[in-house]
Amino acid sequence: MRVAATRAAAAVAVVAVLIGLWEGYHWVWASAGWTWPFAVDNTSMPHVWTIAKAFADPAQANQASLISLLLHKTLFTAKEAAAGFVIGALVGFALGVVLVHSRLLQRGFLPYIVGSQTIPILAIAPMVVIWVNPKLPPSLQGWGAVAVIAAYLSFFPVAINSLRGLQSADPRALELMRSYAASRWSILWKVRVPASLPYVFSALRIAATASVVGAIIGELPSGLQSGLGGAILNFNQYYSIEPQELWATNIVAAGLGIAFFLIVVGVEKLVVHRAPERRA
Amino acid sequence: MSAANPVVSIDGVTKSFAQGNVTALSDIQLQLEAGEFVSLIGPSGCGKSTLLRVIGDLVEPTAGTVTINGKSARQARTDRDYGIVFQDAVLFDWRTVSKNIALPLEMDGWDRAKRKERVEQMLQLVELTGFGDHHPWQLSGGMQQRVSIARALAFEPALLLMDEPFGALDEMTRERLNLELLSIWQQLRSTVVFVTHSISEAVFLSTRVVVMSPRPGRIAGIVPIDLPAERTVETREAPRFFELVTEVRELLRRGGE
Amino acid sequence: MSAAAISQRAGRQVVEWLPALVILVAMLAVWEGSIALFHIKQFLLPKPTTIAATFWDDRHELWPAGWYTFKEALGGFFGGSIAGILFATLVARFRIVGQALMPIAIAANAIPIIAFAPIFDAWFDPLSPHSKMAIAGVLCFFPVMVNTLRGLQSVQPRQIELMRAYAASDFEIFRRVRVPTALPYVFTALKVASVLAMIGAIVAEYFGGSFEALGVLIRNDAQTFEFPTAWAGIAVASLLGITLYLAVAITERVVVRWSPAARSSQ
């Protein structure tokens, strides 16, 4: 309990410092009139209280407050990100399992797995959406395609790290298993997979963020209004008038990313009964 | 051995950790003459490695002083008066064997030509001529340890500190390296302080064996080794060798009580 | 190196890359074949041959756009990476600062940076390459900083003890031990950053940018259903990203000759 309290206190302190830095920077740059790296005024750097107030106010006349609007959108995006994360993690891990058994397959496919991440998924997103949507049942349409994009960004770190983790099994443990004439399957699950856990969780932390990024980016070309990506595009158009709304949205998006990350860390602490921070 | 000015004088050295709860060394009194080969032997926790580090000014004693050739331990370290070899070769993977040996010379500001010359001498000394351009990972454990010794000797220091340098090697390599070390020592005539777990190694190499006992770390006894100066493979089979080994063993047993 | 050794090395390289080459040819063949076989709408996913043809035909438009965006990526890559390395070096020096900042850096790493692209546009003028360079820079900064710090902190204590036995100054220890130990970690992060920089620039351009930019070009082509050109543009982006990655990987092989990857090829 003590640890949680100190952690919470530290987090609050950090936020306080950040707010202080923000306002301090704003004040110094605005007073001095410096324009590098960018000109500072209430539009480029809205005051913290303006942003805070924006949360409570409605985004548009006669509507719910911004914060509740953003929460709805966050849940929508979170749904896409979570689905993408799970699909990506499973696919990534499966790839790792397949590749660990064959050096030939590794040499053949790894360059393309790495290369896949050089393809700007955002650019392909419209095509993915048009192609995937009709194949999905109506309830999954729209956000389902975005989940695919989130999965695309999530699978890579998990695949690479799963492979490394599965390969990291102690050769002597493998020899022991072979002396028991254990089947490949049993060696996999009894020795390799447990050895891979620290690596896999390290990758899951990266994949958590990647899935949120993928979800937000995926929404952009699909024109989906219901998520954070849509909100960012919308509020971007009004930036010069109401900058605080875009900032508020970004803060919420940042919160979503951090939340996903913390969930993975939490699950890791439950599943892996030892210090998760290995040299993975 | 003359009783002239001792090279290393350890005077009332005490070392405790954890606010005095753990006493690693208690009032150690020891004088080492020039050119001696002294082994420190004892069970785990007797403080032998700590004592070695106190001599090397890598650990500060809680009480007492160490004087090396009239200087304080700190001064001796700053003046780079000794070489040290650890149980693990501690070589830098990113440097070749030659460059690993040259490390202390570089830090002391030697110019390239002189460094090259000294490195060649050292490689010859440890019988690794021709391996200068290899990298540590290309060498066996025994060879890596020889590089480590070559590095420690690069300055031809008057004092050599060795912390179980052959502990990680198999017995045959160990015995071979023991002979090599003796031959190197006889050529350079440095004073050696050698920490070890192995009774036979201590007796074979040394002019004196210092037996230590734990909790708190103190000297249980000192056994002068009166074996002939020329030690060979046959020395290990001599009756006097076994007598000395037994003497050390008895001291170890009694010291542990 | 003798001629025999060189040819042996070359032979080994060929064997290493042969499976990948085979897979590439196989994938292209399957791609080309299935478009025809399954009547996949050409406008969504053209044949590789069509993309290659467009790549060449529209080169006067595509290649300069690619270069424009690549410059943004390079600027961000170098700026972000250097900042990351410097920051990590400072933090490693003052351990308490490091321990305090680590959780913040980890949290910052979990933020979808790309969401800030529109704000960076507002700060640095959407039509200027600097706003995209800034995003690419921020994307590169975090992995490089975190990994450099880890590398600097992963020095073996025995090596430090050895240096102290030689009365080495803190700066000498830094120069002779910490930096070489950290280099493999730094290069791992640089490889990640190289890909992120290019992707970051392209995605940032999506929110708005100069017509000379590749990301804008791809977006516009996709919106006007000129899919072959869009795909050719994607191919350009991908190739440039791979080029930067390979440049870093080759530099790594040369600089960090002691890494396990380099060792296995000896």
Short mmCIF file of all heavy atoms in Angstrom, two decimals, chain B residues 53 58 77-78 80 82-84 86-88 90-95 103-104 106-107 137-138 151-152 155, chain C residues 156 158-169 172 175-178 180-181 257-259 262-263 266:
data_model
loop_
_atom_site.label_atom_id
_atom_site.label_comp_id
_atom_site.label_asym_id
_atom_site.label_seq_id
_atom_site.Cartn_x
_atom_site.Cartn_y
_atom_site.Cartn_z
N ARG B 53 41.84 -6.20 -1.74
CA ARG B 53 41.32 -4.93 -2.24
C ARG B 53 41.71 -3.76 -1.34
O ARG B 53 41.84 -2.64 -1.81
CB ARG B 53 39.81 -5.00 -2.40
CG ARG B 53 39.43 -5.73 -3.67
CD ARG B 53 37.94 -5.97 -3.76
NE ARG B 53 37.58 -6.47 -5.08
CZ ARG B 53 37.86 -7.68 -5.52
NH1 ARG B 53 38.47 -8.54 -4.75
NH2 ARG B 53 37.52 -8.04 -6.74
N LEU B 58 41.13 -0.37 -3.30
CA LEU B 58 39.84 -0.46 -3.97
C LEU B 58 38.73 -0.51 -2.94
O LEU B 58 37.56 -0.36 -3.25
CB LEU B 58 39.79 -1.71 -4.86
CG LEU B 58 40.79 -1.66 -6.02
CD1 LEU B 58 40.84 -3.00 -6.73
CD2 LEU B 58 40.42 -0.57 -7.00
N ARG B 77 48.14 3.51 -5.61
CA ARG B 77 47.20 3.30 -6.70
C ARG B 77 47.27 4.44 -7.70
O ARG B 77 47.32 4.23 -8.90
CB ARG B 77 45.78 3.13 -6.16
CG ARG B 77 44.75 2.91 -7.27
CD ARG B 77 43.36 2.65 -6.73
NE ARG B 77 42.78 3.78 -6.06
CZ ARG B 77 42.12 4.76 -6.66
NH1 ARG B 77 41.97 4.74 -7.96
NH2 ARG B 77 41.64 5.76 -5.97
N THR B 78 47.29 5.66 -7.18
CA THR B 78 47.35 6.80 -8.08
C THR B 78 48.61 6.79 -8.92
O THR B 78 48.61 7.21 -10.07
CB THR B 78 47.30 8.13 -7.29
OG1 THR B 78 46.53 7.93 -6.13
CG2 THR B 78 46.69 9.22 -8.12
N ARG B 80 49.97 4.17 -9.88
CA ARG B 80 49.93 2.93 -10.68
C ARG B 80 51.12 2.03 -10.36
O ARG B 80 51.82 1.57 -11.27
CB ARG B 80 49.90 3.26 -12.17
CG ARG B 80 48.71 4.13 -12.52
CD ARG B 80 48.38 4.13 -13.99
NE ARG B 80 47.20 4.96 -14.20
CZ ARG B 80 47.21 6.13 -14.84
NH1 ARG B 80 48.34 6.60 -15.33
NH2 ARG B 80 46.10 6.83 -14.97
N TYR B 82 50.96 -0.93 -8.89
CA TYR B 82 50.71 -2.37 -8.85
C TYR B 82 49.87 -2.81 -10.03
O TYR B 82 49.19 -2.00 -10.67
CB TYR B 82 50.04 -2.78 -7.53
CG TYR B 82 48.62 -2.29 -7.38
CD1 TYR B 82 47.55 -3.00 -7.93
CD2 TYR B 82 48.33 -1.13 -6.66
CE1 TYR B 82 46.26 -2.55 -7.80
CE2 TYR B 82 47.03 -0.68 -6.52
CZ TYR B 82 46.01 -1.40 -7.09
OH TYR B 82 44.71 -0.96 -6.94
N GLY B 83 49.89 -4.12 -10.30
CA GLY B 83 49.01 -4.68 -11.32
C GLY B 83 48.05 -5.63 -10.64
O GLY B 83 48.36 -6.20 -9.61
N ILE B 84 46.86 -5.77 -11.17
CA ILE B 84 45.86 -6.62 -10.53
C ILE B 84 45.24 -7.58 -11.54
O ILE B 84 45.03 -7.23 -12.71
CB ILE B 84 44.78 -5.77 -9.83
CG1 ILE B 84 43.83 -6.67 -9.04
CG2 ILE B 84 44.01 -4.90 -10.81
CD1 ILE B 84 43.04 -5.93 -7.98
N PHE B 86 42.02 -10.39 -11.80
CA PHE B 86 40.82 -10.91 -11.16
C PHE B 86 40.55 -12.34 -11.59
O PHE B 86 41.16 -12.85 -12.53
CB PHE B 86 39.60 -10.06 -11.51
CG PHE B 86 39.71 -8.63 -11.08
CD1 PHE B 86 40.00 -7.64 -11.98
CD2 PHE B 86 39.50 -8.30 -9.75
CE1 PHE B 86 40.08 -6.31 -11.58
CE2 PHE B 86 39.58 -6.97 -9.34
CZ PHE B 86 39.88 -5.98 -10.25
N GLN B 87 39.57 -12.97 -10.94
CA GLN B 87 39.25 -14.34 -11.28
C GLN B 87 38.71 -14.42 -12.71
O GLN B 87 38.91 -15.37 -13.44
CB GLN B 87 38.18 -14.89 -10.32
CG GLN B 87 37.80 -16.31 -10.68
CD GLN B 87 36.99 -16.96 -9.58
OE1 GLN B 87 36.56 -16.32 -8.64
NE2 GLN B 87 36.81 -18.25 -9.69
N ASP B 88 38.06 -13.38 -13.11
CA ASP B 88 37.46 -13.31 -14.43
C ASP B 88 38.41 -12.37 -15.19
O ASP B 88 38.84 -11.37 -14.67
CB ASP B 88 36.13 -12.72 -14.07
CG ASP B 88 35.32 -12.18 -15.12
OD1 ASP B 88 35.61 -12.38 -16.28
OD2 ASP B 88 34.35 -11.55 -14.68
N VAL B 90 38.31 -10.09 -17.25
CA VAL B 90 37.92 -8.69 -17.39
C VAL B 90 38.64 -8.03 -18.57
O VAL B 90 39.32 -7.02 -18.43
CB VAL B 90 38.19 -7.88 -16.09
CG1 VAL B 90 37.51 -6.54 -16.16
CG2 VAL B 90 37.66 -8.63 -14.90
N LEU B 91 38.53 -8.65 -19.71
CA LEU B 91 39.09 -8.06 -20.91
C LEU B 91 38.00 -7.27 -21.62
O LEU B 91 36.83 -7.52 -21.41
CB LEU B 91 39.63 -9.16 -21.84
CG LEU B 91 40.74 -10.03 -21.23
CD1 LEU B 91 41.11 -11.13 -22.20
CD2 LEU B 91 41.96 -9.18 -20.92
N PHE B 92 38.41 -6.33 -22.43
CA PHE B 92 37.43 -5.53 -23.16
C PHE B 92 37.22 -6.17 -24.53
O PHE B 92 38.13 -6.26 -25.33
CB PHE B 92 37.93 -4.09 -23.34
CG PHE B 92 38.00 -3.31 -22.05
CD1 PHE B 92 38.62 -2.07 -22.03
CD2 PHE B 92 37.46 -3.79 -20.87
CE1 PHE B 92 38.70 -1.34 -20.87
CE2 PHE B 92 37.53 -3.07 -19.69
CZ PHE B 92 38.15 -1.83 -19.69
N ASP B 93 35.97 -6.58 -24.76
CA ASP B 93 35.64 -7.25 -26.02
C ASP B 93 35.95 -6.42 -27.25
O ASP B 93 36.19 -6.96 -28.32
CB ASP B 93 34.14 -7.57 -26.06
CG ASP B 93 33.86 -8.93 -25.46
OD1 ASP B 93 34.82 -9.71 -25.32
OD2 ASP B 93 32.70 -9.20 -25.16
N TRP B 94 35.90 -5.10 -27.08
CA TRP B 94 36.05 -4.26 -28.25
C TRP B 94 37.51 -3.97 -28.55
O TRP B 94 37.81 -3.22 -29.47
CB TRP B 94 35.27 -2.95 -28.07
CG TRP B 94 35.61 -2.21 -26.82
CD1 TRP B 94 36.62 -1.31 -26.63
CD2 TRP B 94 34.94 -2.31 -25.58
NE1 TRP B 94 36.63 -0.85 -25.36
CE2 TRP B 94 35.60 -1.46 -24.67
CE3 TRP B 94 33.86 -3.06 -25.13
CZ2 TRP B 94 35.20 -1.32 -23.35
CZ3 TRP B 94 33.46 -2.92 -23.81
CH2 TRP B 94 34.13 -2.07 -22.94
N ARG B 95 38.41 -4.52 -27.77
CA ARG B 95 39.83 -4.31 -28.05
C ARG B 95 40.48 -5.65 -28.39
O ARG B 95 40.10 -6.69 -27.87
CB ARG B 95 40.54 -3.76 -26.81
CG ARG B 95 40.23 -2.31 -26.54
CD ARG B 95 40.86 -1.87 -25.22
NE ARG B 95 40.76 -0.43 -25.10
CZ ARG B 95 41.81 0.39 -25.05
NH1 ARG B 95 43.03 -0.10 -25.09
NH2 ARG B 95 41.63 1.69 -24.96
N LEU B 103 46.27 -1.24 -22.53
CA LEU B 103 45.37 -0.30 -21.84
C LEU B 103 46.05 0.53 -20.76
O LEU B 103 45.98 1.76 -20.80
CB LEU B 103 44.16 -1.05 -21.26
CG LEU B 103 43.19 -0.21 -20.46
CD1 LEU B 103 42.43 0.73 -21.34
CD2 LEU B 103 42.20 -1.09 -19.70
N PRO B 104 46.73 -0.09 -19.78
CA PRO B 104 47.35 0.75 -18.74
C PRO B 104 48.42 1.67 -19.31
O PRO B 104 48.60 2.78 -18.83
CB PRO B 104 47.94 -0.26 -17.76
CG PRO B 104 47.92 -1.57 -18.43
CD PRO B 104 46.94 -1.52 -19.53
N GLU B 106 48.40 3.05 -22.25
CA GLU B 106 47.74 4.19 -22.88
C GLU B 106 47.37 5.20 -21.84
O GLU B 106 47.54 6.41 -22.02
CB GLU B 106 46.45 3.73 -23.57
CG GLU B 106 46.64 3.16 -24.94
CD GLU B 106 45.31 2.66 -25.51
OE1 GLU B 106 44.27 3.31 -25.26
OE2 GLU B 106 45.33 1.64 -26.20
N MET B 107 46.82 4.69 -20.71
CA MET B 107 46.36 5.63 -19.70
C MET B 107 47.53 6.35 -19.05
O MET B 107 47.36 7.45 -18.54
CB MET B 107 45.53 4.89 -18.65
CG MET B 107 44.24 4.41 -19.26
SD MET B 107 42.98 4.09 -18.04
CE MET B 107 43.69 2.69 -17.27
N TRP B 137 37.11 -13.00 -27.32
CA TRP B 137 36.17 -14.11 -27.43
C TRP B 137 36.70 -15.24 -28.30
O TRP B 137 36.13 -16.31 -28.34
CB TRP B 137 34.82 -13.64 -27.98
CG TRP B 137 34.82 -13.26 -29.41
CD1 TRP B 137 34.80 -14.08 -30.49
CD2 TRP B 137 34.84 -11.94 -29.94
NE1 TRP B 137 34.80 -13.36 -31.65
CE2 TRP B 137 34.84 -12.04 -31.33
CE3 TRP B 137 34.88 -10.66 -29.35
CZ2 TRP B 137 34.84 -10.93 -32.17
CZ3 TRP B 137 34.90 -9.56 -30.19
CH2 TRP B 137 34.89 -9.70 -31.58
N GLN B 138 37.80 -14.98 -28.99
CA GLN B 138 38.39 -16.03 -29.81
C GLN B 138 39.36 -16.90 -29.02
O GLN B 138 39.91 -17.85 -29.56
CB GLN B 138 39.12 -15.41 -31.00
CG GLN B 138 38.18 -14.69 -31.95
CD GLN B 138 38.92 -13.89 -33.00
OE1 GLN B 138 39.71 -13.03 -32.67
NE2 GLN B 138 38.66 -14.19 -34.25
N ARG B 151 48.56 -7.97 -19.05
CA ARG B 151 48.15 -6.60 -18.83
C ARG B 151 48.59 -6.11 -17.46
O ARG B 151 49.08 -5.00 -17.30
CB ARG B 151 46.64 -6.46 -18.98
CG ARG B 151 46.13 -5.06 -18.70
CD ARG B 151 44.62 -4.99 -18.79
NE ARG B 151 43.99 -5.90 -17.86
CZ ARG B 151 42.71 -6.26 -17.95
NH1 ARG B 151 41.97 -5.81 -18.93
NH2 ARG B 151 42.20 -7.10 -17.07
N ALA B 152 48.41 -6.99 -16.46
CA ALA B 152 48.78 -6.59 -15.10
C ALA B 152 50.27 -6.32 -15.00
O ALA B 152 50.72 -5.49 -14.21
CB ALA B 152 48.37 -7.68 -14.12
N PHE B 155 53.35 -2.72 -16.71
CA PHE B 155 54.26 -1.73 -16.14
C PHE B 155 55.48 -2.36 -15.48
O PHE B 155 56.30 -1.65 -14.93
CB PHE B 155 53.56 -0.94 -15.02
CG PHE B 155 52.57 0.06 -15.52
CD1 PHE B 155 51.35 0.21 -14.88
CD2 PHE B 155 52.85 0.88 -16.59
CE1 PHE B 155 50.44 1.14 -15.31
CE2 PHE B 155 51.94 1.81 -17.03
CZ PHE B 155 50.73 1.94 -16.38
N GLN C 156 29.95 -3.74 -16.86
CA GLN C 156 30.26 -4.71 -15.80
C GLN C 156 31.03 -4.03 -14.67
O GLN C 156 32.01 -3.35 -14.93
CB GLN C 156 31.13 -5.82 -16.36
CG GLN C 156 30.46 -6.70 -17.37
CD GLN C 156 31.47 -7.63 -17.99
OE1 GLN C 156 32.28 -8.22 -17.28
NE2 GLN C 156 31.44 -7.76 -19.29
N ARG C 158 33.12 -5.20 -12.64
CA ARG C 158 34.53 -5.59 -12.57
C ARG C 158 35.40 -4.72 -13.47
O ARG C 158 36.55 -4.45 -13.16
CB ARG C 158 34.70 -7.04 -13.04
CG ARG C 158 34.42 -8.05 -11.98
CD ARG C 158 35.62 -8.21 -11.06
NE ARG C 158 35.30 -9.03 -9.92
CZ ARG C 158 35.27 -10.34 -9.93
NH1 ARG C 158 35.53 -11.00 -11.03
NH2 ARG C 158 34.98 -11.00 -8.83
N GLN C 159 34.80 -4.29 -14.61
CA GLN C 159 35.59 -3.46 -15.51
C GLN C 159 35.85 -2.11 -14.87
O GLN C 159 36.93 -1.53 -15.03
CB GLN C 159 34.88 -3.31 -16.85
CG GLN C 159 34.89 -4.60 -17.65
CD GLN C 159 34.13 -4.50 -18.95
OE1 GLN C 159 33.27 -3.64 -19.11
NE2 GLN C 159 34.43 -5.38 -19.89
N ILE C 160 34.86 -1.59 -14.16
CA ILE C 160 35.06 -0.31 -13.47
C ILE C 160 36.13 -0.47 -12.41
O ILE C 160 37.00 0.39 -12.24
CB ILE C 160 33.75 0.17 -12.81
CG1 ILE C 160 32.62 0.21 -13.80
CG2 ILE C 160 33.95 1.52 -12.16
CD1 ILE C 160 32.58 1.44 -14.64
N GLU C 161 36.07 -1.63 -11.70
CA GLU C 161 37.06 -1.86 -10.65
C GLU C 161 38.47 -1.88 -11.24
O GLU C 161 39.41 -1.31 -10.69
CB GLU C 161 36.76 -3.20 -9.97
CG GLU C 161 37.22 -3.26 -8.54
CD GLU C 161 36.90 -4.58 -7.87
OE1 GLU C 161 36.50 -5.54 -8.56
OE2 GLU C 161 37.07 -4.64 -6.65
N LEU C 162 38.59 -2.53 -12.38
CA LEU C 162 39.88 -2.59 -13.04
C LEU C 162 40.39 -1.19 -13.36
O LEU C 162 41.55 -0.84 -13.12
CB LEU C 162 39.78 -3.42 -14.33
CG LEU C 162 41.09 -3.55 -15.09
CD1 LEU C 162 41.93 -4.62 -14.47
CD2 LEU C 162 40.85 -3.86 -16.55
N MET C 163 39.51 -0.37 -13.91
CA MET C 163 39.91 0.99 -14.26
C MET C 163 40.31 1.78 -13.03
O MET C 163 41.24 2.57 -13.06
CB MET C 163 38.78 1.70 -15.01
CG MET C 163 38.46 1.12 -16.38
SD MET C 163 39.84 1.14 -17.52
CE MET C 163 39.70 2.78 -18.20
N ARG C 164 39.59 1.53 -11.92
CA ARG C 164 39.95 2.26 -10.70
C ARG C 164 41.30 1.82 -10.19
O ARG C 164 42.06 2.61 -9.64
CB ARG C 164 38.90 2.02 -9.61
CG ARG C 164 37.57 2.65 -9.94
CD ARG C 164 37.10 3.61 -8.86
NE ARG C 164 35.86 4.25 -9.24
CZ ARG C 164 35.80 5.41 -9.90
NH1 ARG C 164 36.89 6.05 -10.22
NH2 ARG C 164 34.62 5.91 -10.23
N ALA C 165 41.60 0.51 -10.40
CA ALA C 165 42.91 0.03 -9.97
C ALA C 165 44.01 0.75 -10.75
O ALA C 165 45.13 0.89 -10.28
CB ALA C 165 43.01 -1.47 -10.19
N TYR C 166 43.67 1.21 -11.95
CA TYR C 166 44.63 1.99 -12.72
C TYR C 166 44.44 3.48 -12.53
O TYR C 166 44.90 4.27 -13.35
CB TYR C 166 44.51 1.62 -14.21
CG TYR C 166 45.09 0.28 -14.51
CD1 TYR C 166 44.36 -0.67 -15.20
CD2 TYR C 166 46.38 -0.05 -14.10
CE1 TYR C 166 44.89 -1.91 -15.49
CE2 TYR C 166 46.92 -1.29 -14.38
CZ TYR C 166 46.17 -2.22 -15.06
OH TYR C 166 46.69 -3.46 -15.34
N ALA C 167 43.76 3.86 -11.47
CA ALA C 167 43.57 5.28 -11.15
C ALA C 167 43.04 6.06 -12.34
O ALA C 167 43.50 7.16 -12.63
CB ALA C 167 44.89 5.89 -10.65
N ALA C 168 42.07 5.48 -13.03
CA ALA C 168 41.50 6.18 -14.18
C ALA C 168 40.50 7.23 -13.71
O ALA C 168 39.78 7.02 -12.74
CB ALA C 168 40.78 5.18 -15.08
N SER C 169 40.47 8.37 -14.40
CA SER C 169 39.51 9.42 -14.05
C SER C 169 38.13 9.01 -14.54
O SER C 169 38.00 8.12 -15.38
CB SER C 169 39.91 10.73 -14.71
OG SER C 169 39.79 10.60 -16.11
N GLU C 172 37.94 9.13 -18.22
CA GLU C 172 38.59 8.02 -18.91
C GLU C 172 37.72 6.78 -18.87
O GLU C 172 37.63 6.03 -19.83
CB GLU C 172 39.95 7.73 -18.27
CG GLU C 172 41.02 8.68 -18.74
CD GLU C 172 42.39 8.23 -18.33
OE1 GLU C 172 42.65 8.22 -17.11
OE2 GLU C 172 43.18 7.88 -19.21
N ARG C 175 35.04 7.23 -21.41
CA ARG C 175 35.54 7.12 -22.78
C ARG C 175 35.96 5.70 -23.12
O ARG C 175 35.65 5.19 -24.19
CB ARG C 175 36.74 8.05 -22.91
CG ARG C 175 37.20 8.27 -24.32
CD ARG C 175 38.42 9.16 -24.33
NE ARG C 175 39.48 8.47 -25.02
CZ ARG C 175 40.76 8.66 -24.81
NH1 ARG C 175 41.17 9.50 -23.87
NH2 ARG C 175 41.66 8.00 -25.48
N ARG C 176 36.65 5.03 -22.22
CA ARG C 176 37.23 3.75 -22.56
C ARG C 176 36.33 2.57 -22.27
O ARG C 176 36.53 1.49 -22.82
CB ARG C 176 38.55 3.55 -21.83
CG ARG C 176 39.61 4.52 -22.28
CD ARG C 176 40.92 4.24 -21.54
NE ARG C 176 41.87 5.32 -21.72
CZ ARG C 176 42.66 5.44 -22.78
NH1 ARG C 176 42.58 4.55 -23.75
NH2 ARG C 176 43.49 6.44 -22.88
N VAL C 177 35.38 2.74 -21.36
CA VAL C 177 34.55 1.60 -21.00
C VAL C 177 33.07 1.81 -21.30
O VAL C 177 32.44 1.01 -21.99
CB VAL C 177 34.71 1.23 -19.51
CG1 VAL C 177 33.91 0.00 -19.17
CG2 VAL C 177 36.17 1.00 -19.20
N ARG C 178 32.49 2.89 -20.79
CA ARG C 178 31.05 3.06 -20.95
C ARG C 178 30.64 3.22 -22.40
O ARG C 178 29.66 2.62 -22.85
CB ARG C 178 30.56 4.26 -20.13
CG ARG C 178 30.61 4.00 -18.65
CD ARG C 178 29.84 5.06 -17.87
NE ARG C 178 30.22 5.04 -16.48
CZ ARG C 178 29.70 4.22 -15.57
NH1 ARG C 178 28.78 3.35 -15.92
NH2 ARG C 178 30.12 4.26 -14.33
N PRO C 180 32.15 2.27 -25.33
CA PRO C 180 32.14 1.04 -26.14
C PRO C 180 31.09 0.04 -25.69
O PRO C 180 30.53 -0.67 -26.52
CB PRO C 180 33.55 0.46 -25.91
CG PRO C 180 34.38 1.57 -25.42
CD PRO C 180 33.46 2.49 -24.70
N THR C 181 30.81 -0.01 -24.39
CA THR C 181 29.78 -0.94 -23.92
C THR C 181 28.42 -0.53 -24.43
O THR C 181 27.59 -1.37 -24.76
CB THR C 181 29.75 -0.97 -22.38
OG1 THR C 181 31.05 -1.21 -21.89
CG2 THR C 181 28.82 -2.06 -21.88
N ARG C 257 32.41 -3.98 -34.26
CA ARG C 257 32.84 -5.27 -34.80
C ARG C 257 32.79 -6.40 -33.78
O ARG C 257 32.93 -7.54 -34.13
CB ARG C 257 34.26 -5.16 -35.34
CG ARG C 257 34.30 -5.22 -36.85
CD ARG C 257 35.66 -4.90 -37.38
NE ARG C 257 35.88 -3.49 -37.41
CZ ARG C 257 37.03 -2.92 -37.76
NH1 ARG C 257 38.05 -3.67 -38.04
NH2 ARG C 257 37.16 -1.62 -37.78
N TRP C 258 32.58 -6.04 -32.52
CA TRP C 258 32.60 -7.08 -31.52
C TRP C 258 31.22 -7.59 -31.17
O TRP C 258 31.06 -8.43 -30.31
CB TRP C 258 33.28 -6.59 -30.25
CG TRP C 258 32.58 -5.44 -29.61
CD1 TRP C 258 31.62 -5.48 -28.66
CD2 TRP C 258 32.79 -4.05 -29.91
NE1 TRP C 258 31.21 -4.22 -28.33
CE2 TRP C 258 31.91 -3.31 -29.09
CE3 TRP C 258 33.62 -3.36 -30.78
CZ2 TRP C 258 31.86 -1.92 -29.11
CZ3 TRP C 258 33.56 -1.98 -30.80
CH2 TRP C 258 32.69 -1.28 -29.97
N SER C 259 30.17 -7.04 -31.83
CA SER C 259 28.83 -7.48 -31.46
C SER C 259 28.64 -8.94 -31.88
O SER C 259 29.25 -9.38 -32.83
CB SER C 259 27.78 -6.61 -32.12
OG SER C 259 27.78 -6.84 -33.51
N ALA C 262 28.26 -9.52 -35.57
CA ALA C 262 29.48 -9.45 -36.39
C ALA C 262 30.34 -10.67 -36.13
O ALA C 262 30.98 -11.20 -37.02
CB ALA C 262 30.23 -8.17 -36.07
N ARG C 263 30.33 -11.14 -34.88
CA ARG C 263 31.19 -12.27 -34.53
C ARG C 263 30.81 -13.51 -35.31
O ARG C 263 31.65 -14.28 -35.72
CB ARG C 263 31.01 -12.60 -33.06
CG ARG C 263 31.78 -11.73 -32.17
CD ARG C 263 31.67 -12.29 -30.79
NE ARG C 263 31.45 -11.24 -29.83
CZ ARG C 263 31.30 -11.47 -28.53
NH1 ARG C 263 31.32 -12.68 -28.08
NH2 ARG C 263 31.12 -10.47 -27.71
N GLN C 266 32.41 -14.21 -38.59
CA GLN C 266 33.87 -14.30 -38.75
C GLN C 266 34.35 -15.72 -38.93
O GLN C 266 34.05 -16.58 -38.13
CB GLN C 266 34.54 -13.67 -37.53
CG GLN C 266 34.67 -12.19 -37.75
CD GLN C 266 35.51 -11.53 -36.67
OE1 GLN C 266 35.58 -12.02 -35.55
NE2 GLN C 266 36.15 -10.46 -37.01
#
